[in-house]
Amino acid sequence: MNGSIPVIVTGAAGKMGRQVIQAVAGSNDMILMGAVDRQHLGADAGEVAGVEALEVPITPDLQSLCALVAQEKQAGVLVDFTHPRSVYENIRAAIAYGVYPVVGTTGLSLEQIQALAEFCDKASMGCIIAPNFSIGMVLLQQAAIQASRYFDHVEIIELHHNQKADAPSGTALKTAQMLAEIGKTYNPPQVAETEALPGVRGGLGPEHIRIHSVRLPGLIAHQEVMFGSPGELYTLRHDTSDRSCYMPGVLLSIRKVRQLQQLVYGLEKILD
Amino acid sequence: MNGSIPVIVTGAAGKMGRQVIQAVAGSNDMILMGAVDRQHLGADAGEVAGVEALEVPITPDLQSLCALVAQEKQAGVLVDFTHPRSVYENIRAAIAYGVYPVVGTTGLSLEQIQALAEFCDKASMGCIIAPNFSIGMVLLQQAAIQASRYFDHVEIIELHHNQKADAPSGTALKTAQMLAEIGKTYNPPQVAETEALPGVRGGLGPEHIRIHSVRLPGLIAHQEVMFGSPGELYTLRHDTSDRSCYMPGVLLSIRKVRQLQQLVYGLEKILD
Amino acid sequence: MNGSIPVIVTGAAGKMGRQVIQAVAGSNDMILMGAVDRQHLGADAGEVAGVEALEVPITPDLQSLCALVAQEKQAGVLVDFTHPRSVYENIRAAIAYGVYPVVGTTGLSLEQIQALAEFCDKASMGCIIAPNFSIGMVLLQQAAIQASRYFDHVEIIELHHNQKADAPSGTALKTAQMLAEIGKTYNPPQVAETEALPGVRGGLGPEHIRIHSVRLPGLIAHQEVMFGSPGELYTLRHDTSDRSCYMPGVLLSIRKVRQLQQLVYGLEKILD
Amino acid sequence: MNGSIPVIVTGAAGKMGRQVIQAVAGSNDMILMGAVDRQHLGADAGEVAGVEALEVPITPDLQSLCALVAQEKQAGVLVDFTHPRSVYENIRAAIAYGVYPVVGTTGLSLEQIQALAEFCDKASMGCIIAPNFSIGMVLLQQAAIQASRYFDHVEIIELHHNQKADAPSGTALKTAQMLAEIGKTYNPPQVAETEALPGVRGGLGPEHIRIHSVRLPGLIAHQEVMFGSPGELYTLRHDTSDRSCYMPGVLLSIRKVRQLQQLVYGLEKILD
């Protein structure tokens, strides 16, 4: 325990927070030092997360916990899966106390991220903000960018359960944007295409990348990027079945953030 | 050879005609008796098809061949993969001579098919007209119809090479129409869906069946029907890589058409 | 409620029993009348199942519940997901009281099933015993049997999480056995095959059907049956992500069992 | 034409040679200067390849062609898809004349490759030897190596037509070897596995990577690498339908080899 990384979890009673507490409790190089939430106040964070009692009560007070962790020998880490309203202040508080933030909460504005980056620079503190902690998805996106240099034709199919209201998925659109950044227009037409049913050829994303969204009960969360050239297809597919898939990325971030002296955005920045 | 089925092929020098001649030449219960085309006149039909010489010269005259075959002990079969302009007359000629037609040529009007059906009835002759001789595709469609009775949610994805101009594929639309005929509306919405990119949710086919068309070089011809219900997915997929895939259906039709006393439309009618 | 089907659930506190109670509570043509288990005695069955209170306490006494249900106007149904030790007596008790059994418990011997069938015959009572209540899987198996008449080449790939110790899965083996019953030997060799790594070509199931078992974390439960012939592939795939997938089959059985006068084995017997 | 790269093709009448001639003829930055084969001597290489006449007769004499190309302003390239017996001498002859070799012929021994590398070093000449010119497959292998650093569980499925005698495919085994080189043992067991059918769990490749080989008519050439961790799957798939898929890799090599001063083995070395 002596060399363990002290970890504070905000949003401790939420779905992601509970997963993080389970993952931290199951890792032998970190230790849960604090759990913040407005619900389940006073309850044991481990029991709320469905693991054994960890003797860490849920409190509403992040500042005091940061002050406590600041006294540890080992530099501490804050893992924040909370809400657009609270995430900015949580990160500032952590950095002020020398606690390194790992942030999965979405909704920070570009201005806020810029301000936090400057705050990190002044303090020479690392901070990792990532919209997606799935290592598999980041690997898929990196491999797709690599393939985009050699293939001129690509379409994306994303498939989700039919409770999902928006289409395309944010992740599929992000993938398309990453492919578009290389600066070429995909899918030069070979024939004059006609659509007998409007929409059948999918949505036209950036740089002519076609995106197709399938919604069915029984699906969970899936993304497929298909590259084609004469005589060959190269397909990258990611299937998510469970929130636990984000934990390897969160744990990797906890281990790496303390070696950084600046804010980085995106899990891909710390995959080497 | 004595009990072999005599076969005439029209469109003998075309892509499908050559395949049929290869398939007939490779079957030990049938024998090629005639080959009709306007091109390669006088050439050996077997050599044109890329198999050994069959001593059947290509001629322009279907009538004479039908008259010849009519003298055989075994009832003969005409296989027609020609052109909308000639197919109707070819079928009439064959029936008039007691030769059973197996027809893959598309473009016959409903009125023409009706007239041919009456002609068959009067002559007590069988005739098989099929828009698709792929047994795998027909099995997929039959299995999809069976599944449609138990699943309320279905989407179709069809994928073809990017030389294909029209979308959706005729076969995918046909599959959707077959599923629609059961008389229910699919995909009752669970949430109010929004499309950030128009068309991303695909084309809206009959009875709310969504169809998605992917076009990429490297693809050939593929169709996927996905049924979903809570906790499970049931997917039927058909991949075609080669025109040879239609031959089992053609050979089956050659063997079965002589047992029929009427015109049937669709390969599924003779799969029992 | 007046015309509702009275339902008793044995194994009410088990994973499947809870799902059944949720499904019955969510159906407007059935009503939970009794819940049997040795655990959670006295607790409300609805609350144990994670739905609202249903005012049905869990009791250990199936006989009394059957006697009670026997007095209802509507014929009742017993749903049994319990244990090989108790299932036989549970079914006998239900039939004796005129309650129709729907049974998902595995482990009954052929002799026991035969004895129960005779007991049903004497009482002119219906009973449904099924090793798999997934309608999608039964549809896949039926479609595969249909395809096996036209394809001579088939391989099965089943994929499960790496907590599963046995391979192949029972369902994959069952599918292979169903395909074997048609009475032909599949996969006639085209070349003399060699295996540079022993086992790479999979396990040799009945009638030369190859089966491949993949085990990885992240997988749940998947089965793929691939039929091939020159130029085409026909693939049937079933993906299960959740125990809820069995509920449509259980509810269908509850509705159909009361119209039967005999024991039937296998969900496929009631899919028409 | 003035700045075009002069290209000589050995094995010009073979399947790959013809493809290369088509690809060179279709590229506006290269020009076919010579075609070597023992068959079709004197015939026009373009006509043999199925494109228009290129006024390049097929000859048996590589040396003379190299001498001719050596007089061009632009440095020339030899593309060799021939035979293990002739490839070594062909490469030596080309280098001796200052013609840069791009080699797809397999069967060179390690000693031969080493000798050729030394020969290239002395001459400060580039040479590219690649067992697989499919850019998609090389991208898949590179992406798999990247993923292997973050995933501990992986299985490979390769699927080919049933004319293929050997299993696993050389490419699948190569992929497994590349994953093994990272120096960890994959697929730590979670349970004690049992095989009710021997081989059902596939072949055990290097470092416990499981490989499964499927053989069916209708398949062409496919490889799938599946990485799993709790809650997620990451799958890389490559489908080949046509020899044309190797041409982008050959053309890229023709353009890059003249910038090299040494022999490189593997297409991945020139993908940057």
Side-chain angles (χ1 to χ4, degrees), chain B residues 154-205:
Chain B
V154 63
E155 303 206 6
I156 298 174
I157 306 173
E158 55 92 352
L159 311 95
H160 284 82
H161 54 84
N162 66 341
Q163 309 287 334
K164 183 173 180 63
D166 57 313
S169 70
T171 314
L173 192 57
K174 179 77 190 303
T175 305
Q177 285 161 346
M178 291 168 99
L179 296 180
E181 276 169 21
I182 197 175
K184 71 175 171 190
T185 300
Y186 294 90
N187 301 321
Q190 304 298 301
V191 291
E193 287 195 4
T194 60
E195 272 188 338
L197 289 177
V200 76
R201 285 285 289 115
L204 200 54

Short mmCIF file of all heavy atoms in Angstrom, two decimals, chain B residues 154-205:
data_model
loop_
_atom_site.label_atom_id
_atom_site.label_comp_id
_atom_site.label_asym_id
_atom_site.label_seq_id
_atom_site.Cartn_x
_atom_site.Cartn_y
_atom_site.Cartn_z
N VAL B 154 -36.46 -5.03 -37.80
CA VAL B 154 -35.58 -5.57 -38.84
C VAL B 154 -34.99 -4.42 -39.66
O VAL B 154 -35.66 -3.41 -39.91
CB VAL B 154 -36.37 -6.55 -39.76
CG1 VAL B 154 -37.49 -5.85 -40.51
CG2 VAL B 154 -35.44 -7.25 -40.74
N GLU B 155 -33.73 -4.54 -40.02
CA GLU B 155 -33.12 -3.63 -40.98
C GLU B 155 -32.32 -4.47 -41.98
O GLU B 155 -31.89 -5.57 -41.68
CB GLU B 155 -32.21 -2.58 -40.28
CG GLU B 155 -32.97 -1.77 -39.22
CD GLU B 155 -32.39 -0.37 -38.94
OE1 GLU B 155 -31.46 0.06 -39.64
OE2 GLU B 155 -32.91 0.28 -38.01
N ILE B 156 -32.17 -3.92 -43.18
CA ILE B 156 -31.44 -4.63 -44.23
C ILE B 156 -30.23 -3.80 -44.63
O ILE B 156 -30.33 -2.59 -44.82
CB ILE B 156 -32.35 -4.85 -45.47
CG1 ILE B 156 -33.54 -5.74 -45.09
CG2 ILE B 156 -31.57 -5.48 -46.63
CD1 ILE B 156 -34.57 -5.91 -46.20
N ILE B 157 -29.08 -4.44 -44.72
CA ILE B 157 -27.87 -3.80 -45.24
C ILE B 157 -27.46 -4.56 -46.49
O ILE B 157 -27.31 -5.77 -46.46
CB ILE B 157 -26.71 -3.86 -44.22
CG1 ILE B 157 -27.14 -3.27 -42.87
CG2 ILE B 157 -25.49 -3.12 -44.74
CD1 ILE B 157 -26.09 -3.45 -41.77
N GLU B 158 -27.35 -3.85 -47.60
CA GLU B 158 -26.81 -4.51 -48.80
C GLU B 158 -25.54 -3.79 -49.20
O GLU B 158 -25.44 -2.57 -49.09
CB GLU B 158 -27.83 -4.59 -49.93
CG GLU B 158 -28.45 -3.30 -50.37
CD GLU B 158 -27.70 -2.63 -51.51
OE1 GLU B 158 -26.61 -3.06 -51.88
OE2 GLU B 158 -28.21 -1.60 -52.00
N LEU B 159 -24.55 -4.55 -49.63
CA LEU B 159 -23.23 -4.01 -49.93
C LEU B 159 -22.80 -4.48 -51.32
O LEU B 159 -22.82 -5.67 -51.60
CB LEU B 159 -22.21 -4.47 -48.89
CG LEU B 159 -22.59 -4.31 -47.41
CD1 LEU B 159 -23.19 -5.60 -46.85
CD2 LEU B 159 -21.38 -3.93 -46.57
N HIS B 160 -22.44 -3.53 -52.18
CA HIS B 160 -22.01 -3.86 -53.54
C HIS B 160 -20.80 -3.01 -53.93
O HIS B 160 -20.54 -1.97 -53.34
CB HIS B 160 -23.14 -3.60 -54.54
CG HIS B 160 -24.21 -4.65 -54.52
ND1 HIS B 160 -25.24 -4.63 -53.59
CD2 HIS B 160 -24.43 -5.75 -55.29
CE1 HIS B 160 -26.03 -5.68 -53.81
NE2 HIS B 160 -25.57 -6.36 -54.82
N HIS B 161 -20.09 -3.48 -54.96
CA HIS B 161 -19.00 -2.73 -55.57
C HIS B 161 -19.50 -1.36 -56.03
O HIS B 161 -20.70 -1.17 -56.28
CB HIS B 161 -18.47 -3.51 -56.78
CG HIS B 161 -19.56 -3.86 -57.75
ND1 HIS B 161 -19.99 -2.99 -58.71
CD2 HIS B 161 -20.33 -4.96 -57.84
CE1 HIS B 161 -20.97 -3.55 -59.39
NE2 HIS B 161 -21.20 -4.75 -58.88
N ASN B 162 -18.59 -0.41 -56.15
CA ASN B 162 -18.99 0.97 -56.47
C ASN B 162 -19.17 1.24 -57.96
O ASN B 162 -19.21 2.39 -58.38
CB ASN B 162 -18.03 1.98 -55.83
CG ASN B 162 -16.64 1.90 -56.42
OD1 ASN B 162 -16.28 0.91 -57.03
ND2 ASN B 162 -15.87 2.95 -56.21
N GLN B 163 -19.29 0.18 -58.75
CA GLN B 163 -19.70 0.33 -60.15
C GLN B 163 -21.22 0.28 -60.25
O GLN B 163 -21.78 0.54 -61.30
CB GLN B 163 -19.12 -0.80 -61.02
CG GLN B 163 -17.63 -1.01 -60.88
CD GLN B 163 -16.83 0.08 -61.54
OE1 GLN B 163 -17.30 0.71 -62.48
NE2 GLN B 163 -15.64 0.35 -61.04
N LYS B 164 -21.86 -0.14 -59.19
CA LYS B 164 -23.33 -0.28 -59.20
C LYS B 164 -23.95 1.09 -59.00
O LYS B 164 -23.70 1.76 -58.00
CB LYS B 164 -23.77 -1.24 -58.09
CG LYS B 164 -25.26 -1.51 -58.07
CD LYS B 164 -25.60 -2.61 -57.06
CE LYS B 164 -27.09 -2.89 -57.03
NZ LYS B 164 -27.63 -3.39 -58.30
N ALA B 165 -24.80 1.50 -59.95
CA ALA B 165 -25.33 2.87 -59.92
C ALA B 165 -26.58 2.99 -59.06
O ALA B 165 -26.79 3.99 -58.38
CB ALA B 165 -25.63 3.33 -61.34
N ASP B 166 -27.43 1.97 -59.08
CA ASP B 166 -28.71 2.10 -58.40
C ASP B 166 -28.65 1.59 -56.97
O ASP B 166 -27.91 0.66 -56.65
CB ASP B 166 -29.79 1.35 -59.18
CG ASP B 166 -29.42 -0.13 -59.36
OD1 ASP B 166 -28.25 -0.39 -59.73
OD2 ASP B 166 -30.25 -1.00 -59.09
N ALA B 167 -29.42 2.24 -56.11
CA ALA B 167 -29.51 1.81 -54.72
C ALA B 167 -30.95 2.05 -54.26
O ALA B 167 -31.52 3.07 -54.62
CB ALA B 167 -28.54 2.59 -53.83
N PRO B 168 -31.56 1.16 -53.50
CA PRO B 168 -30.99 -0.12 -53.06
C PRO B 168 -30.95 -1.13 -54.19
O PRO B 168 -31.53 -0.90 -55.24
CB PRO B 168 -31.99 -0.57 -51.98
CG PRO B 168 -33.30 -0.03 -52.44
CD PRO B 168 -32.96 1.31 -53.06
N SER B 169 -30.28 -2.25 -53.97
CA SER B 169 -30.27 -3.33 -54.95
C SER B 169 -31.68 -3.87 -55.11
O SER B 169 -32.48 -3.85 -54.18
CB SER B 169 -29.34 -4.44 -54.50
OG SER B 169 -29.90 -5.12 -53.39
N GLY B 170 -31.98 -4.35 -56.30
CA GLY B 170 -33.31 -4.92 -56.54
C GLY B 170 -33.61 -6.06 -55.59
O GLY B 170 -34.74 -6.21 -55.12
N THR B 171 -32.59 -6.85 -55.28
CA THR B 171 -32.82 -8.00 -54.41
C THR B 171 -33.13 -7.58 -52.98
O THR B 171 -33.97 -8.18 -52.31
CB THR B 171 -31.58 -8.93 -54.43
OG1 THR B 171 -31.17 -9.10 -55.78
CG2 THR B 171 -31.92 -10.27 -53.84
N ALA B 172 -32.46 -6.54 -52.51
CA ALA B 172 -32.75 -6.06 -51.16
C ALA B 172 -34.17 -5.50 -51.08
O ALA B 172 -34.89 -5.73 -50.11
CB ALA B 172 -31.74 -4.98 -50.76
N LEU B 173 -34.56 -4.77 -52.11
CA LEU B 173 -35.91 -4.23 -52.12
C LEU B 173 -36.94 -5.36 -52.17
O LEU B 173 -37.96 -5.33 -51.48
CB LEU B 173 -36.08 -3.29 -53.33
CG LEU B 173 -37.34 -2.44 -53.32
CD1 LEU B 173 -37.42 -1.59 -52.07
CD2 LEU B 173 -37.36 -1.53 -54.55
N LYS B 174 -36.63 -6.37 -52.97
CA LYS B 174 -37.52 -7.54 -53.05
C LYS B 174 -37.64 -8.20 -51.68
O LYS B 174 -38.74 -8.56 -51.25
CB LYS B 174 -36.94 -8.53 -54.07
CG LYS B 174 -37.72 -9.81 -54.27
CD LYS B 174 -38.95 -9.60 -55.12
CE LYS B 174 -39.88 -10.80 -55.13
NZ LYS B 174 -39.24 -12.03 -55.58
N THR B 175 -36.52 -8.36 -50.99
CA THR B 175 -36.58 -8.94 -49.65
C THR B 175 -37.49 -8.12 -48.74
O THR B 175 -38.33 -8.67 -48.02
CB THR B 175 -35.16 -9.02 -49.03
OG1 THR B 175 -34.29 -9.72 -49.93
CG2 THR B 175 -35.17 -9.73 -47.70
N ALA B 176 -37.33 -6.80 -48.79
CA ALA B 176 -38.17 -5.93 -47.95
C ALA B 176 -39.64 -6.10 -48.32
O ALA B 176 -40.50 -6.16 -47.43
CB ALA B 176 -37.73 -4.48 -48.12
N GLN B 177 -39.93 -6.19 -49.60
CA GLN B 177 -41.32 -6.34 -50.01
C GLN B 177 -41.91 -7.66 -49.53
O GLN B 177 -43.06 -7.73 -49.09
CB GLN B 177 -41.43 -6.23 -51.54
CG GLN B 177 -41.28 -4.78 -52.01
CD GLN B 177 -40.93 -4.67 -53.48
OE1 GLN B 177 -40.55 -5.64 -54.11
NE2 GLN B 177 -41.05 -3.46 -54.03
N MET B 178 -41.10 -8.71 -49.57
CA MET B 178 -41.56 -10.00 -49.07
C MET B 178 -41.85 -9.93 -47.57
O MET B 178 -42.83 -10.52 -47.10
CB MET B 178 -40.50 -11.07 -49.36
CG MET B 178 -40.35 -11.37 -50.85
SD MET B 178 -38.87 -12.38 -51.21
CE MET B 178 -39.61 -14.02 -51.33
N LEU B 179 -41.01 -9.22 -46.83
CA LEU B 179 -41.24 -9.08 -45.39
C LEU B 179 -42.47 -8.21 -45.12
O LEU B 179 -43.19 -8.41 -44.14
CB LEU B 179 -40.02 -8.45 -44.70
CG LEU B 179 -38.74 -9.30 -44.74
CD1 LEU B 179 -37.61 -8.57 -44.03
CD2 LEU B 179 -38.96 -10.67 -44.12
N ALA B 180 -42.71 -7.25 -46.02
CA ALA B 180 -43.86 -6.35 -45.83
C ALA B 180 -45.17 -7.06 -46.07
O ALA B 180 -46.20 -6.71 -45.48
CB ALA B 180 -43.72 -5.15 -46.77
N GLU B 181 -45.14 -8.08 -46.93
CA GLU B 181 -46.39 -8.76 -47.29
C GLU B 181 -47.06 -9.47 -46.12
O GLU B 181 -48.25 -9.78 -46.18
CB GLU B 181 -46.13 -9.77 -48.41
CG GLU B 181 -46.16 -9.13 -49.78
CD GLU B 181 -45.65 -10.06 -50.86
OE1 GLU B 181 -45.64 -11.29 -50.63
OE2 GLU B 181 -45.23 -9.56 -51.92
N ILE B 182 -46.30 -9.75 -45.07
CA ILE B 182 -46.89 -10.42 -43.93
C ILE B 182 -47.95 -9.54 -43.27
O ILE B 182 -48.81 -10.02 -42.54
CB ILE B 182 -45.80 -10.86 -42.92
CG1 ILE B 182 -46.34 -11.91 -41.95
CG2 ILE B 182 -45.25 -9.67 -42.17
CD1 ILE B 182 -45.29 -12.47 -41.01
N GLY B 183 -47.87 -8.23 -43.56
CA GLY B 183 -48.97 -7.36 -43.14
C GLY B 183 -48.78 -6.69 -41.79
O GLY B 183 -49.75 -6.36 -41.12
N LYS B 184 -47.53 -6.48 -41.37
CA LYS B 184 -47.35 -5.69 -40.15
C LYS B 184 -46.34 -4.59 -40.41
O LYS B 184 -45.56 -4.65 -41.36
CB LYS B 184 -46.93 -6.56 -38.97
CG LYS B 184 -45.53 -7.11 -39.01
CD LYS B 184 -45.23 -7.85 -37.68
CE LYS B 184 -43.90 -8.60 -37.78
NZ LYS B 184 -43.70 -9.51 -36.63
N THR B 185 -46.40 -3.57 -39.54
CA THR B 185 -45.46 -2.47 -39.64
C THR B 185 -44.31 -2.74 -38.68
O THR B 185 -44.54 -2.98 -37.49
CB THR B 185 -46.16 -1.15 -39.31
OG1 THR B 185 -47.22 -0.97 -40.25
CG2 THR B 185 -45.19 0.03 -39.42
N TYR B 186 -43.08 -2.71 -39.21
CA TYR B 186 -41.92 -3.04 -38.39
C TYR B 186 -41.39 -1.81 -37.66
O TYR B 186 -41.78 -0.68 -37.94
CB TYR B 186 -40.81 -3.61 -39.29
CG TYR B 186 -41.17 -4.94 -39.90
CD1 TYR B 186 -41.81 -5.00 -41.12
CD2 TYR B 186 -40.91 -6.12 -39.23
CE1 TYR B 186 -42.15 -6.21 -41.69
CE2 TYR B 186 -41.25 -7.35 -39.79
CZ TYR B 186 -41.88 -7.38 -41.01
OH TYR B 186 -42.22 -8.60 -41.56
N ASN B 187 -40.48 -2.10 -36.75
CA ASN B 187 -39.68 -1.06 -36.10
C ASN B 187 -40.49 0.02 -35.41
O ASN B 187 -40.25 1.21 -35.61
CB ASN B 187 -38.71 -0.43 -37.13
CG ASN B 187 -37.80 -1.47 -37.74
OD1 ASN B 187 -37.33 -2.37 -37.04
ND2 ASN B 187 -37.56 -1.38 -39.03
N PRO B 188 -41.45 -0.38 -34.56
CA PRO B 188 -42.16 0.62 -33.76
C PRO B 188 -41.14 1.42 -32.96
O PRO B 188 -40.27 0.84 -32.30
CB PRO B 188 -43.05 -0.22 -32.84
CG PRO B 188 -42.44 -1.59 -32.84
CD PRO B 188 -41.83 -1.75 -34.19
N PRO B 189 -41.18 2.77 -33.04
CA PRO B 189 -40.13 3.56 -32.42
C PRO B 189 -40.17 3.49 -30.88
O PRO B 189 -41.25 3.46 -30.29
CB PRO B 189 -40.41 4.98 -32.91
CG PRO B 189 -41.84 4.98 -33.33
CD PRO B 189 -42.20 3.58 -33.72
N GLN B 190 -38.99 3.44 -30.29
CA GLN B 190 -38.88 3.43 -28.84
C GLN B 190 -38.57 4.83 -28.32
O GLN B 190 -38.81 5.13 -27.16
CB GLN B 190 -37.75 2.48 -28.40
CG GLN B 190 -37.92 1.08 -28.93
CD GLN B 190 -39.18 0.41 -28.42
OE1 GLN B 190 -39.36 0.28 -27.22
NE2 GLN B 190 -40.09 0.06 -29.33
N VAL B 191 -37.98 5.65 -29.16
CA VAL B 191 -37.63 7.04 -28.79
C VAL B 191 -37.87 7.91 -30.02
O VAL B 191 -38.08 7.40 -31.12
CB VAL B 191 -36.14 7.15 -28.38
CG1 VAL B 191 -35.87 6.45 -27.06
CG2 VAL B 191 -35.24 6.60 -29.47
N ALA B 192 -37.87 9.22 -29.80
CA ALA B 192 -38.01 10.14 -30.93
C ALA B 192 -36.64 10.30 -31.57
O ALA B 192 -35.76 10.96 -31.03
CB ALA B 192 -38.55 11.49 -30.46
N GLU B 193 -36.46 9.69 -32.74
CA GLU B 193 -35.14 9.69 -33.38
C GLU B 193 -34.85 11.01 -34.07
O GLU B 193 -35.73 11.66 -34.61
CB GLU B 193 -35.07 8.58 -34.43
CG GLU B 193 -34.97 7.19 -33.84
CD GLU B 193 -34.53 6.17 -34.88
OE1 GLU B 193 -34.24 6.58 -36.03
OE2 GLU B 193 -34.45 4.99 -34.56
N THR B 194 -33.58 11.40 -34.06
CA THR B 194 -33.14 12.57 -34.82
C THR B 194 -31.96 12.18 -35.69
O THR B 194 -31.15 11.33 -35.31
CB THR B 194 -32.70 13.72 -33.90
OG1 THR B 194 -31.61 13.24 -33.09
CG2 THR B 194 -33.83 14.17 -33.00
N GLU B 195 -31.89 12.79 -36.88
CA GLU B 195 -30.78 12.54 -37.81
C GLU B 195 -29.93 13.80 -37.93
O GLU B 195 -30.35 14.78 -38.54
CB GLU B 195 -31.34 12.22 -39.21
CG GLU B 195 -31.64 10.76 -39.47
CD GLU B 195 -32.00 10.52 -40.94
OE1 GLU B 195 -32.40 11.48 -41.61
OE2 GLU B 195 -31.86 9.38 -41.41
N ALA B 196 -28.73 13.78 -37.37
CA ALA B 196 -27.86 14.94 -37.50
C ALA B 196 -27.31 15.05 -38.93
O ALA B 196 -27.00 16.13 -39.39
CB ALA B 196 -26.72 14.85 -36.49
N LEU B 197 -27.19 13.91 -39.61
CA LEU B 197 -26.84 13.90 -41.04
C LEU B 197 -28.02 13.28 -41.78
O LEU B 197 -28.36 12.12 -41.52
CB LEU B 197 -25.61 13.02 -41.29
CG LEU B 197 -24.24 13.48 -40.82
CD1 LEU B 197 -23.20 12.40 -41.13
CD2 LEU B 197 -23.85 14.79 -41.47
N PRO B 198 -28.65 14.01 -42.69
CA PRO B 198 -29.81 13.43 -43.38
C PRO B 198 -29.45 12.13 -44.10
O PRO B 198 -28.41 12.06 -44.75
CB PRO B 198 -30.20 14.52 -44.39
CG PRO B 198 -29.58 15.77 -43.88
CD PRO B 198 -28.35 15.37 -43.14
N GLY B 199 -30.27 11.13 -43.94
CA GLY B 199 -30.05 9.85 -44.61
C GLY B 199 -29.26 8.85 -43.80
O GLY B 199 -29.14 7.69 -44.19
N VAL B 200 -28.73 9.30 -42.66
CA VAL B 200 -27.84 8.40 -41.92
C VAL B 200 -28.59 7.17 -41.41
O VAL B 200 -28.00 6.09 -41.26
CB VAL B 200 -27.15 9.18 -40.77
CG1 VAL B 200 -28.09 9.41 -39.60
CG2 VAL B 200 -25.87 8.50 -40.34
N ARG B 201 -29.89 7.29 -41.22
CA ARG B 201 -30.68 6.13 -40.77
C ARG B 201 -31.18 5.28 -41.94
O ARG B 201 -32.00 4.39 -41.76
CB ARG B 201 -31.85 6.60 -39.89
CG ARG B 201 -31.45 7.02 -38.52
CD ARG B 201 -31.11 5.82 -37.62
NE ARG B 201 -32.31 5.09 -37.28
CZ ARG B 201 -32.56 3.84 -37.66
NH1 ARG B 201 -31.70 3.18 -38.42
NH2 ARG B 201 -33.66 3.25 -37.33
N GLY B 202 -30.69 5.54 -43.12
CA GLY B 202 -31.01 4.70 -44.26
C GLY B 202 -32.28 5.10 -44.98
O GLY B 202 -32.89 6.12 -44.67
N GLY B 203 -32.64 4.31 -45.98
CA GLY B 203 -33.87 4.54 -46.73
C GLY B 203 -35.03 3.83 -46.07
O GLY B 203 -34.86 2.75 -45.50
N LEU B 204 -36.20 4.46 -46.13
CA LEU B 204 -37.38 3.89 -45.49
C LEU B 204 -38.13 3.05 -46.53
O LEU B 204 -38.79 3.59 -47.41
CB LEU B 204 -38.25 5.02 -44.94
CG LEU B 204 -39.25 4.65 -43.85
CD1 LEU B 204 -38.56 3.95 -42.69
CD2 LEU B 204 -39.96 5.90 -43.36
N GLY B 205 -38.01 1.75 -46.41
CA GLY B 205 -38.68 0.85 -47.34
C GLY B 205 -40.10 0.57 -46.90
O GLY B 205 -40.61 1.22 -45.98
#
